[in-house]
Amino acid sequence: MNRLLSWPIARQTARERGLAPAPIGIALVLVLLAVATRPVSPGGWSGGASGFWLALLALVLGAGLLSSEVESGHAQLVLLRPITRAQWVGGRLVGAALVLCLAGAIAWAASLVAAVARGAFDASPPWFALLPVALLPHLGWLATLCAISAVTRGWTNAALLLALRFGWFFARSALPLALPQWNLGPWLLVADRYFGPQETADAEGIVPSLLTWDALWLAAAWLAAVLLFNRRELARRRG
């Protein structure tokens, strides 16, 4: 058993989350979009409307990822076994991530087949390199949902994350107009590059700095999830 995660927990989580109606429906939409949309670049399968549905899939998979198991009492029963809290949290996160990656890989493959059928296939490496690159920011948001779920109830983590993202979007758009004398636009534009995981590929290719940022965010969110869940369990036992 790995020190960072429990594979039995990951497999159980993948089955639980992946076989739910909502993720299956979103995965079907992703495949249909990948087939119907003519990609303008090798990463086109994950942009535009597909990017929205990938983000929605991450939101659905991460909603209540830890809290649902804690509130049902199932987490406490599992933790009676020889398994650490870090392994349980890691297993839950990896299980949900496997579903996200599988859905993305199927959509990517559908896009590739559609490109070949249209005679628009380009055998350049970006077709293959951009699969993990396109999924990385969504995995970062999934890990963020996992961390928030360690200290919230039910699907509150998804609601909080949506509120934060909409709040930041509103502030980024409205503050420069409300306070033009402060010249906040350039500062907010720079801050926006670090507000959560970022899309790491553009028309010119992969941006290494953003790729590194997303990888660090993913690792930090996983660590925060473990620490917050550990504190929650210690507080519960003391209470």
Side-chain angles (χ1 to χ4, degrees), residues 59 73 208-209 215:
L59 188 71
S209 60

Side-chain angles (χ1 to χ4, degrees), residues 88-108:
W88 182 77
V89 171
R92 294 290 294 174
L93 176 57
V94 169
L98 287 174
V99 178
L100 179 63
C101 290
L102 179 60
I106 293 173
W108 169 83

Side-chain angles (χ1 to χ4, degrees), residues 164-178 184-185 188:
L164 285 172
R165 295 194 69 177
F166 278 115
W168 172 251
F169 176 78
F170 178 79
R172 187 190 64 190
S173 305
L175 285 179
L177 298 176
L184 293 174
L188 290 173

Side-chain angles (χ1 to χ4, degrees), residues 16-114:
E16 167 208 327
R17 297 272 156 165
L19 295 179
I24 291 175
I26 294 172
L28 289 174
V29 172
L30 283 170
V31 172
L32 291 174
L33 286 172
V35 172
T37 305
R38 181 184 295 272
V40 296
S41 69
W45 69 273
S46 62
S50 296
F52 166 80
W53 286 97
L54 276 171
L56 182 61
L57 179 59
L59 188 71
V60 169
L61 291 173
L65 186 59
L66 302 184
S67 56
S68 61
E69 292 290 282
V70 172
E71 291 167 17
S72 68
H74 186 255
Q76 287 75 18
L77 292 176
V78 172
L79 290 171
L80 292 175
R81 305 173 185 175
I83 178 177
T84 66
R85 298 187 186 104
Q87 289 172 329
W88 182 77
V89 171
R92 294 290 294 174
L93 176 57
V94 169
L98 287 174
V99 178
L100 179 63
C101 290
L102 179 60
I106 293 173
W108 169 83
S111 176
L112 192 61
V113 170

Side-chain angles (χ1 to χ4, degrees), residues 61-230:
L61 291 173
L65 186 59
L66 302 184
S67 56
S68 61
E69 292 290 282
V70 172
E71 291 167 17
S72 68
H74 186 255
Q76 287 75 18
L77 292 176
V78 172
L79 290 171
L80 292 175
R81 305 173 185 175
I83 178 177
T84 66
R85 298 187 186 104
Q87 289 172 329
W88 182 77
V89 171
R92 294 290 294 174
L93 176 57
V94 169
L98 287 174
V99 178
L100 179 63
C101 290
L102 179 60
I106 293 173
W108 169 83
S111 176
L112 192 61
V113 170
V116 172
R118 296 187 184 109
F121 174 67
D122 180 1
S124 59
W127 271 106
F128 304 95
L130 287 181
L131 173 60
V133 168
L135 291 174
L136 184 58
H138 300 290
L139 291 172
W141 286 118
L142 180 62
T144 304
L145 286 164
C146 183
I148 300 174
S149 183
V151 292
T152 57
R153 297 178 61 85
W155 284 41
T156 309
N157 63 328
L160 284 174
L161 185 60
L162 283 175
L164 285 172
R165 295 194 69 177
F166 278 115
W168 172 251
F169 176 78
F170 178 79
R172 187 190 64 190
S173 305
L175 285 179
L177 298 176
L179 302 168
Q181 68 276 17
W182 288 9
N183 194 29
L184 293 174
W187 295 96
L188 290 173
L189 186 62
V190 172
D192 189 52
R193 302 281 283 182
Y194 299 97
F195 185 78
Q198 304 290 317
E199 297 294 333
T200 57
D202 55 23
E204 299 180 358
I206 298 171
V207 183
S209 60
L210 294 179
L211 188 65
T212 303
W213 171 254
D214 282 1
L216 290 174
W217 183 283
L218 176 59
W222 172 83
L223 179 61
V226 173
L227 294 176
L228 290 172
F229 180 73
N230 191 48

